C-alpha cells in the first residue's frame, strides 16, 4: 500500500492552492476511470447527457444544452449519436407540441448501469487496496464538501 505523507499538498488552506491540487487529482481519477472503459464506447458528452436524462427525466435539446453548458449544435450532435444507438428517444413535448423532448431508453439505462458498475468496481478495488479504514472514513467525510463544490461550478 502506497502512503502519501500526511503533510503533503497545500498546507496553508489557500483557496488557489487547494483548487489547483483538487483539479489535478480529480482530473487524474476521472482520466483513469475513463481509460478503464472500452474504446468505442460513449464519449464523455454522450455519457453526461445520458446520465442527466436518466437522473432528471425527459428534457428538450435546448434545455440540455443550457444544463450541459454547451452550444445547441453540440447537444444536437450528441443526441443524434445517442438516438442512432437506441439509447435515447425523441418524443413530442407534452407541454408544447412544437418542441421535442428527449428521454433515455431501457437500453440507455442498461448501458449506464453497466458503466457505473465497472467504474464503481474499479474505484472500490483501489480504495480497498490503497486506503486504510481510517483513510476511507476521512475520504467519506469529504464527499459532501465535494458535492457542494460540484453544485457551484
Amino acid at each position: 500500500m502506497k502512503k502519501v505523507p500526511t503533510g503533503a499538498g497545500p498546507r496553508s488552506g489557500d483557496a488557489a492552492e487547494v483548487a489547483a491540487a483538487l483539479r489535478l487529482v480529480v482530473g487524474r481519477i476521472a482520466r483513469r476511470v475513463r481509460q478503464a472503459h472500452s474504446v468505442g464506447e460513449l464519449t464523455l458528452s454522450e455519457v453526461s447527457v445520458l446520465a442527466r436524462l436518466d437522473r432528471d427525466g425527459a428534457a428538450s435539446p435546448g434545455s440540455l444544452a443550457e444544463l450541459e453548458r454547451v452550444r445547441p449544435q453540440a447537444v444536437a450532435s450528441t443526441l443524434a449519436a445517442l438516438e442512432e444507438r437506441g439509447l435515447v428517444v425523441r418524443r413530442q413535448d407534452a407541454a408544447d407540441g412544437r418542441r421535442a423532448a428527449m428521454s433515455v431508453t431501457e437500453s440507455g439505462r442498461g448501458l449506464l448501469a453497466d458503466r457505473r458498475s465497472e467504474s464503481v468496481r474499479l474505484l472500490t478495488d483501489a480504495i480497498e487496496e490503497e486506503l486504510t479504514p481510517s483513510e476511507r472514513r476521512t475520504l467519506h467525510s469529504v464527499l459532501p464538501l465535494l458535492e457542494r463544490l460540484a453544485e457551484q461550478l
Side-chain angles (χ1 to χ4, degrees), residues 10 97 125 137 146:
D125 291 349
R137 285 189 296 277
L146 294 174

Side-chain angles (χ1 to χ4, degrees), residues 9-10 14-28:
D14 175 65
E17 286 181 49
V18 173
L22 182 62
R23 182 185 133 322
L24 192 63
V25 75
V26 168
R28 282 184 188 147

Side-chain angles (χ1 to χ4, degrees), residues 71-85:
R71 294 178 323 185
Q73 296 87 341
V75 162
S77 173
T78 298
L79 288 170
L82 291 171
E83 199 170 12
E84 184 177 306
R85 292 177 72 175

Side-chain angles (χ1 to χ4, degrees), residues 15-127:
E17 286 181 49
V18 173
L22 182 62
R23 182 185 133 322
L24 192 63
V25 75
V26 168
R28 282 184 188 147
I29 291 169
R31 229 178 355 270
R32 299 235 169 88
V33 169
R34 271 196 316 269
Q35 290 168 348
H37 295 289
S38 303
V39 175
E41 281 192 8
L42 299 177
T43 66
L44 289 178
S45 298
E46 290 168 347
V47 170
S48 183
V49 167
L50 195 59
R52 184 175 296 279
L53 289 172
D54 185 46
R55 183 182 61 245
D56 299 341
S60 70
S63 67
L64 285 169
E66 203 172 294
L67 291 166
E68 292 289 315
R69 296 181 180 160
V70 297
R71 294 178 323 185
Q73 296 87 341
V75 162
S77 173
T78 298
L79 288 170
L82 291 171
E83 199 170 12
E84 184 177 306
R85 292 177 72 175
L87 303 175
V88 299
V89 64
R90 181 182 308 264
R91 295 194 176 97
Q92 226 176 12
D93 187 319
D96 181 351
R98 298 169 295 173
R99 291 177 26 176
M102 305 302 294
S103 301
V104 66
T105 64
E106 285 307 312
S107 294
R109 280 190 184 86
L111 186 117
L112 277 175
D114 291 348
R115 194 178 164 93
R116 285 179 188 134
S117 294
E118 188 177 341
S119 296
V120 168
R121 182 193 46 72
L122 180 71
L123 287 166
T124 299
D125 291 349
I127 289 168

